[in-house]
Amino acid sequence: MTFKARGRAVLLSLLLCGAAMPAFAQSPPVPAILKTAEARDIHSYAQPLVARVTHIDLDLTADFAGQKMTGTAALDIAAAPDAKEVVLDSKGLVIHGVTDAKGNALPWTLGKVDPILGAPLTVTLNGAKRIVIKYDSAPGGAALQFLTPAQTAGKKSPYLFSQGEAILNRSWIPTQDSPGIRQTWTARIVAPKGLKAVMSAQMLTPNGEPLKDGSRAYRFKMDKPVASYLIAIAIGDLTFTPLGKRTGVYTEPSVMKKTANELVDVEKMVAAAESLYGPYAWGRYDLLVLPPAFPFGGMENPRLTFATPTIIAGDRSLVSLVAHELAHSWSGNLVNNATWADFWLNEGFTDYFENRIMEKLYGKPRADMLADLGWSDLQSAIADAGGPTGADTRLHLDLTGRDPDDGMTDIAYQKGATFLRTIEKAVGRPRWDAYLKAYFARHAFQSQTTAGFVADLRQNLIKGDPKLEAAIGIDKWVYEVGLPDNAVHVKSAAFPAVDALAATYAKGGAAPLAKWKAWSTPERTRFIASLPHKKLSNERLDTLDKAFGLDAQGNSEIRFVWLELAVANRYQPALPSLEAFLTDQGRRKFVAPLFKDLMAQGDWGQPIAKRIYAKARPLYHAVTRQTVDGIVK
């Protein structure tokens, strides 16, 4: 990490107080900590205005037998002149000792354990500006999932992957695990013989360095400051296929051909995104398609998006997920939420941006269908949050005493995206695009709060125009419950006909086989989702399944809405397909609603849910387990 020589006092002022920084620098300085009250992260023990981590050097060995990472983390610390200690986040870490850069022991303590936050790791600095922590990751730590060979596509080698969002990386990295404390980092990772390590950083030694025991050491470097949750790792039997001059995909050899074929448009997506909101700042954009236990659709780890294999439909129909994760390279990675109360700043912006990429590449009709499906998801999310008056329908959330995962709902995604569409309508697309492009450049490599965004919006877009202010209703959108009356609903021109056919079928009409064959995935999804719950007979469901092959459907989105319909109607013949779907993949978006639907079915569904979950739970990542544990009781 390189800083311009401007004196220690000036450096500390930049790091601890809040100075602006140039955007898109080759190696930008570590950004300032925001000082405003709403920027204080209640999900971290860190006291960054006293002492903060600026850089991490990891030197770790993957211990598959012990299911842990073991080694050291060396942290560079920027501390105020009177700072005596630095407070880090940890969860279940086994600390063996802490020293300064010269090897002198430093006093340290682990505080009281909180079930959500873990425990504070407090290190007395004794003047040290660099501390070295020798440790093991938490046995069974939430961020890391070790898979047996049977849980992989190739069935031959074990596998490890991490998932850090929101506050899970503290279970394998002792640092200040807060999105508002951006850090640069390097890593040296020792992987077992025959396995390849990849990380969300520049891969300095793609083939590894051979060691005497047959293992290999892989080196990585991230010279741009990122939120700690974006440090990600995977180790397994991995191969690589280029997709373009700066894009490619990693996955297991046995599934590479179909995976690479599905992702042929990734290079075009990067170009489309750049044409909208400015240069891609991270060098390469690669993907890692993981085993099915991965809990999310995708994770926007810089330079290396982690993606679920459930997007590999065989017809490139689910690539909007890739557009979403790519969009995060601007909204979420370049500019990210400073606290988890403002998660919508990551996801609402990204959902809007994703749809713009899809429109640019595949046309407005397809983008409109996806946006219209998102509107339906928003209505469901509002209902799940207690209706229009529910506190969790706000964009800026109160997560006091709660797990930040509680805020990771479609409110953040879809209400956030709808808010941005509403602004676009009020000011016009050209003006809105110019603002967004400048916003990303202005705040590049920095964290942001809702209040900060609102202030920027008023200063650089509204510019004191009272009519425009009133037309948008900014404060109502971000701080009040429900959905404002001026919300823009993008309506697909294709969906009314689909809805009409669903209504006809529900009343006894024929299955629209010819239409189904011609429809896109969004149209098929809409048709199934529009059929009535709790009112379809077994005969109607039998006809539907036989016509469209729904139980054996390879498209995960279509199969999911079919299984929701089957559970709602207590359709017994779909249970083998349901059990297979819930045990073959662990994507929380699919798994949690289906278990919730089963539990809502009382004496019929609850025994089914408990039986399947007992079988599936060991296969799921901790993120998914935590959610479903609260459902299946």
Side-chain angles (χ1 to χ4, degrees):
M1 177 171 56
T2 303
F3 295 95
K4 294 181 179 179
R6 298 173 59 189
R8 181 172 297 174
V10 176
L11 172 60
L12 285 174
S13 175
L14 282 169
L15 292 177
L16 300 177
C17 297
M21 52 164 286
F24 301 102
Q26 186 65 31
S27 296
V30 177
I33 300 298
L34 299 177
K35 297 177 68 176
T36 53
E38 72 276 3
R40 187 180 72 84
D41 186 0
I42 62 173
H43 293 106
S44 172
Y45 291 110
Q47 299 172 13
L49 293 174
V50 176
R52 52 95 42 108
V53 176
T54 62
H55 179 80
I56 311 169
D57 288 319
L58 298 172
D59 191 343
L60 299 171
T61 296
D63 178 355
F64 276 74
Q67 297 200 348
K68 62 183 179 179
M69 302 292 282
T70 182
T72 62
L75 312 180
D76 290 345
I77 310 295
D82 59 347
K84 305 297 183 185
E85 59 190 26
V86 62
V87 182
L88 310 174
D89 294 302
S90 71
K91 192 168 188 179
L93 300 178
V94 179
I95 308 298
H96 299 299
V98 183
T99 69
D100 63 17
K102 295 180 179 179
N104 300 310
L106 295 174
W108 59 274
T109 59
L110 274 174
K112 183 180 178 181
V113 176
D114 178 272
I116 296 174
L117 304 182
L121 171 58
T122 302
V123 178
T124 301
L125 292 171
N126 288 343
K129 294 178 174 54
R130 181 176 174 86
I131 63 174
V132 181
I133 303 169
K134 186 177 181 181
Y135 73 102
D136 296 343
S137 69
L144 301 178
Q145 183 162 13
F146 289 86
L147 304 178
T148 65
Q151 293 173 279
T152 68
K155 311 297 182 186
K156 296 179 180 179
S157 302
Y159 201 109
L160 162 68
F161 70 85
S162 70
Q163 170 51 46
E165 191 178 44
I167 57 171
L168 302 183
N169 267 359
R170 63 190 65 181
S171 70
W172 75 285
I173 304 172
T175 188
Q176 292 175 323
D177 191 18
S178 168
I181 309 174
R182 295 176 69 119
Q183 305 150 35
T184 55
W185 60 276
T186 70
R188 176 182 178 271
I189 304 294
V190 177
K193 182 179 180 180
L195 300 184
K196 182 181 183 67
V198 295
M199 293 190 79
S200 52
Q202 182 182 359
M203 301 188 192
L204 300 178
T205 56
N207 297 317
E209 302 165 339
L211 303 178
K212 290 182 179 180
D213 62 356
S215 61
R216 284 183 175 266
Y218 294 83
R219 297 180 185 271
F220 307 89
K221 179 182 180 181
M222 173 52 70
D223 63 356
K224 296 174 175 63
V226 298
S228 56
Y229 71 87
L230 294 172
I231 304 174
I233 187 171
I235 301 175
D237 179 14
L238 298 174
T239 187
F240 176 78
T241 295
L243 300 171
K245 62 182 180 180
R246 54 180 168 170
T247 57
V249 59
Y250 293 89
T251 195
E252 295 179 69
S254 63
V255 293
M256 175 55 84
K257 184 177 180 180
K258 67 178 182 180
T259 299
N261 182 63
E262 198 85 0
L263 301 174
V264 292
D265 285 344
V266 170
E267 188 78 31
K268 294 179 183 177
M269 285 185 178
V270 177
E274 288 186 311
S275 72
L276 289 167
Y277 299 130
Y280 178 75
W282 304 93
R284 289 194 59 83
Y285 181 74
D286 295 321
L287 293 104
L288 170 68
V289 177
L290 292 132
F294 186 61
F296 295 149
M299 183 61 211
E300 63 272 16
N301 303 309
R303 293 180 63 102
L304 187 64
T305 281
F306 282 21
T308 170
T310 63
I311 68 168
I312 309 302
D315 58 4
R316 304 173 188 165
S317 60
L318 303 180
V319 294
S320 62
L321 180 137
V322 179
H324 182 94
E325 303 310 328
L326 169 63
H328 269 304
S329 301
W330 286 260
S331 49
N333 295 0
L334 196 61
V335 185
N336 72 293
N337 54 265
T339 76
W340 296 110
D342 291 329
F343 182 60
W344 81 274
L345 290 174
N346 280 17
E347 297 300 348
F349 274 69
T350 298
D351 225 64
Y352 171 85
F353 192 175
E354 166 202 336
N355 196 256
R356 293 293 305 279
I357 294 171
M358 294 299 290
E359 178 180 331
K360 194 168 188 69
L361 282 182
Y362 304 111
K364 193 172 188 301
R366 183 169 176 181
D368 285 354
M369 284 190 279
L370 293 171
D372 207 350
L373 290 175
W375 179 269
S376 297
D377 291 341
L378 175 56
Q379 307 314 306
S380 298
I382 290 172
D384 289 343
T389 61
D392 284 352
T393 62
R394 294 183 177 92
L395 289 179
H396 176 71
L397 290 173
D398 180 3
L399 294 173
T400 304
R402 301 167 66 187
D403 193 301
D405 277 9
D406 290 351
M408 294 182 178
T409 72
D410 271 327
I411 298 296
Y413 291 76
Q414 301 300 340
K415 183 179 177 181
T418 302
F419 176 34
L420 300 194
R421 290 191 185 102
T422 303
I423 300 173
E424 179 195 318
K425 181 181 178 182
V427 303
R429 179 169 283 189
R431 184 176 170 188
W432 174 236
D433 280 352
Y435 168 78
L436 274 184
K437 186 174 182 179
Y439 172 81
F440 290 132
R442 246 189 330 272
H443 299 284
F445 304 109
Q446 299 180 53
S447 301
Q448 181 65 286
T449 63
T450 290
F453 166 66
V454 167
D456 189 282
L457 190 68
R458 286 184 166 131
Q459 179 179 348
N460 296 293
L461 185 69
I462 308 299
K463 298 181 178 178
D465 183 340
K467 291 184 179 179
L468 184 55
E469 176 82 30
I472 296 172
I474 298 171
D475 290 338
K476 187 172 185 178
W477 270 99
V478 299
Y479 295 119
E480 296 185 19
V481 298
L483 193 61
D485 294 338
N486 65 338
V488 171
H489 175 190
V490 176
K491 297 181 180 180
S492 166
F495 280 175
V498 175
D499 293 344
L501 286 170
T504 298
Y505 182 79
K507 294 176 182 177
L513 186 57
K515 290 289 188 181
W516 180 271
K517 290 179 179 179
W519 279 341
S520 64
T521 289
E523 289 167 304
R524 292 178 177 183
T525 301
R526 176 74 171 211
F527 177 80
I528 299 297
S530 297
L531 292 169
H533 286 40
K534 301 182 181 180
K535 293 183 180 179
L536 285 182
S537 67
N538 275 12
E539 182 273 329
R540 290 276 78 192
L541 293 167
D542 284 339
T543 301
L544 206 63
D545 183 27
K546 290 175 182 176
F548 304 144
L550 295 174
D551 270 344
Q553 177 61 237
N555 184 303
S556 59
E557 295 287 347
I558 297 171
R559 189 169 174 189
F560 169 65
V561 293
W562 158 246
L563 291 173
E564 282 201 307
L565 181 69
V567 170
N569 288 283
R570 298 191 176 190
Y571 182 57
Q572 202 80 15
L575 291 184
S577 178
L578 174 68
E579 182 167 351
F581 190 66
L582 289 173
T583 54
D584 287 346
Q585 55 81 36
R587 187 175 174 185
R588 187 172 64 172
K589 171 188 174 180
F590 298 146
V591 166
L594 286 170
F595 277 115
K596 184 177 180 181
D597 292 346
L598 282 169
M599 292 299 290
Q601 289 296 327
D603 292 343
W604 179 82
Q606 290 183 9
I608 298 169
K610 292 176 182 179
R611 176 181 61 78
I612 295 177
Y613 190 44
K615 178 180 178 181
R617 191 180 187 279
L619 309 176
Y620 292 162
H621 185 272
V623 167
T624 301
R625 291 199 306 267
Q626 178 178 315
T627 299
V628 183
D629 282 351
I631 296 171
V632 181
K633 300 177 180 178

